[in-house]
Amino acid sequence: MSKKVTETVEELVIPILDELALELVEVEYVKEGKSWFLRVYIDKETGVDIEDCGTVSEKLGEKLDETDPIPQNYFLEVSSPGAERPLKKEKDFHKALGKNVYIKTYEPILDEKEFEGILKSFDGQEVVIEVKIKTRKKTVVIPFEKVAKARLAVTFS
């Protein structure tokens, strides 16, 4: 059910975002407690502000009212993905080169399933990150199809 909703919402929101020169990061349809939430995460090079979110929310809300694709009552939230933006598409990985990332894999690689380090390269097939273990650096190559979750990771130094 929720997969169909997210696909439908993506189809509705992409023309709105294209018109406003914004990018779709992710659409999420989740139940929290007794309430359903439709979350749309948007971004642009310079970052999004409250006005961008408000405009998208208003325009998307109108489209959702017209097409009525969601049977339950829900809350619509439009926001920035924040500092720890998810990396979903290949272009997200390319944009994140040289940045600190967190990657969780479907199965262990070098006896680990979670990695945090600098994204060194990505060729569409493999993600290469440099992780720091105590005082030494180690390069880890992760096949792209084994990446379960990936996001930018904020570091405090």
Side-chain angles (χ1 to χ4, degrees):
M1 167 68 192
S2 69
K3 181 75 170 151
K4 178 89 176 85
V5 167
T6 58
E7 288 171 4
T8 304
V9 172
E10 277 186 33
E11 289 169 13
L12 293 173
V13 78
I14 285 175
I16 295 167
L17 297 177
D18 287 348
E19 181 186 310
L20 299 167
L22 295 167
E23 171 195 355
L24 178 64
V25 175
E26 186 175 20
V27 174
E28 207 178 52
Y29 185 59
V30 293
K31 188 171 187 180
E32 292 179 2
K34 293 179 180 176
S35 301
W36 282 91
F37 291 87
L38 175 60
R39 294 191 176 111
V40 179
Y41 297 96
I42 60 172
D43 209 357
K44 65 181 174 191
E45 282 300 318
T46 56
V48 293
D49 58 26
I50 193 92
E51 285 179 33
D52 294 323
C53 295
T55 302
V56 172
S57 179
E58 190 177 311
K59 289 179 181 256
L60 179 58
E62 288 170 9
K63 288 281 185 209
L64 290 166
D65 289 345
E66 280 170 29
T67 58
D68 201 18
I70 305 171
Q72 302 90 340
N73 288 333
Y74 60 92
F75 295 96
L76 172 62
E77 295 178 353
V78 177
S79 68
S80 155
E84 295 198 332
R85 172 192 175 129
L87 306 176
K88 299 241 176 220
K89 303 174 187 110
E90 289 191 17
K91 69 176 179 142
D92 297 335
F93 282 85
H94 289 295
K95 279 186 184 174
L97 289 172
K99 295 183 179 160
N100 201 55
V101 297
Y102 165 85
I103 296 176
K104 187 172 186 172
T105 57
Y106 288 112
E107 55 194 58
I109 293 170
L110 305 172
D111 298 325
E112 297 288 333
K113 285 179 81 175
E114 294 184 48
F115 302 90
E116 189 173 317
I118 303 297
L119 180 59
K120 289 297 188 184
S121 70
F122 174 70
D123 64 5
Q125 304 295 311
E126 295 178 330
V127 179
V128 179
I129 68 169
E130 184 180 86
V131 297
K132 201 171 177 186
I133 301 164
K134 293 184 180 151
T135 57
R136 50 179 245 283
K137 291 178 180 175
K138 179 177 172 182
T139 300
V140 180
V141 178
I142 303 167
F144 188 51
E145 73 271 3
K146 294 199 175 153
V147 174
K149 250 186 178 171
R151 62 172 167 74
L152 292 178
V154 175
T155 53
F156 301 95
S157 39

